[in-house]
Amino acid sequence: SSELTQDPAVSVALGQTVRITCQGDSLRSYYASWYQQKPGQAPVLVIYLQNNRPSGIPDRFSGSSSGNTASLTIAGAQAEDEAVYYCNSRDISGNHWVFGGGTKVTVL
Amino acid sequence: QVQLVQSGAEVKKPGASVKVSCKASGYTFTGYYIHWVRQAPGQGLEWMGVINPSGGSTSYAQKFQGRVTMTRDTSTRTLYMELSSLRSEDTAVYYCARDHSYDFWGQGTLVTVSS
């Protein structure tokens, strides 16, 4: 399958930890990257190659993977973390890429 | 600093073509692939394809095969994405993004397809 599946929405209390998952067959072979998108803005890379943070991304963001599931964890969620998060990886062929459907994170 | 600057918004009629540009600066142009991604209003991100600016080789999502052409001009450090036979469902913001990690993104180009 070339699909990546994400839960549509999740909520987290301010300062608590939330984990967002991304499932797909290709994740057994390829790393996932994660993007944060706020309304009206271009996406921003927050995790690449499974668990690497670009410069400027807070260390409360981390990535992990097990089997066919990649995860993005926000430890100590802040109000500014409220956004839609997308996972991305190669598809099973390795020649194309695919995005998950996105998870809207609400910080309560 | 790395910058990807895209062309301005476009309004097209069904059946027409659109060509969106993405001008790169601040890094070695031929050293990084460029991906094109689109986002319809209120929808998620959709991968369209990728181009290697070094040799010009491309790979397109099956959904767009036959309708999309990605090219580059190394002299002006500009990438192009042309989509033909436009229909209303192609109304979206189109982004270019650098490298397989999409570490830098253009600001997006809104393409509206309407009769």
Side-chain angles (χ1 to χ4, degrees), chain B residues 5-94:
Chain B
V5 179
Q6 298 184 221
S7 47
E10 303 260 15
V11 179
K12 296 292 183 181
K13 294 196 181 304
S17 297
V18 68
K19 193 170 187 177
V20 178
S21 68
C22 170
K23 185 171 178 60
S25 62
Y27 69 96
T28 301
F29 179 73
T30 54
Y32 295 85
Y33 287 68
I34 291 288
H35 291 250
W36 288 89
V37 175
R38 77 176 187 180
Q39 186 170 38
Q43 302 301 308
L45 302 173
E46 182 175 30
W47 183 77
M48 298 183 69
V50 58
I51 181 169
N52 180 352
S54 178
S57 62
T58 56
S59 179
Y60 303 139
Q62 189 162 2
K63 176 177 179 176
F64 301 103
Q65 285 276 2
R67 274 210 308 146
V68 71
T69 304
M70 296 176 187
T71 56
R72 92 289 189 222
D73 182 337
T74 55
S75 67
T76 61
R77 302 171 59 90
T78 304
L79 299 302
Y80 299 94
M81 187 285 298
E82 185 170 21
L83 188 62
S84 62
S85 302
L86 291 169
R87 34 207 187 232
S88 59
E89 311 88 88
D90 294 317
T91 293
V93 176
Y94 290 76

Side-chain angles (χ1 to χ4, degrees), chain A residues 44-101:
Chain A
V44 172
L45 175 67
V46 293
I47 292 289
Y48 64 100
L49 294 177
Q50 184 175 302
N51 191 22
N52 292 273
R53 277 178 293 105
S55 171
I57 300 301
D59 61 6
R60 62 179 178 272
F61 289 90
S62 65
S64 62
S65 182
S66 177
N68 73 336
T69 302
S71 301
L72 172 70
T73 299
I74 309 173
Q78 303 299 302
E80 61 264 31
D81 300 334
E82 190 163 287
V84 179
Y85 291 83
Y86 294 93
C87 61
N88 175 270
S89 184
R90 293 181 190 249
D91 73 359
I92 203 70
S93 75
N95 296 318
H96 295 168
W97 279 257
V98 62
F99 284 95

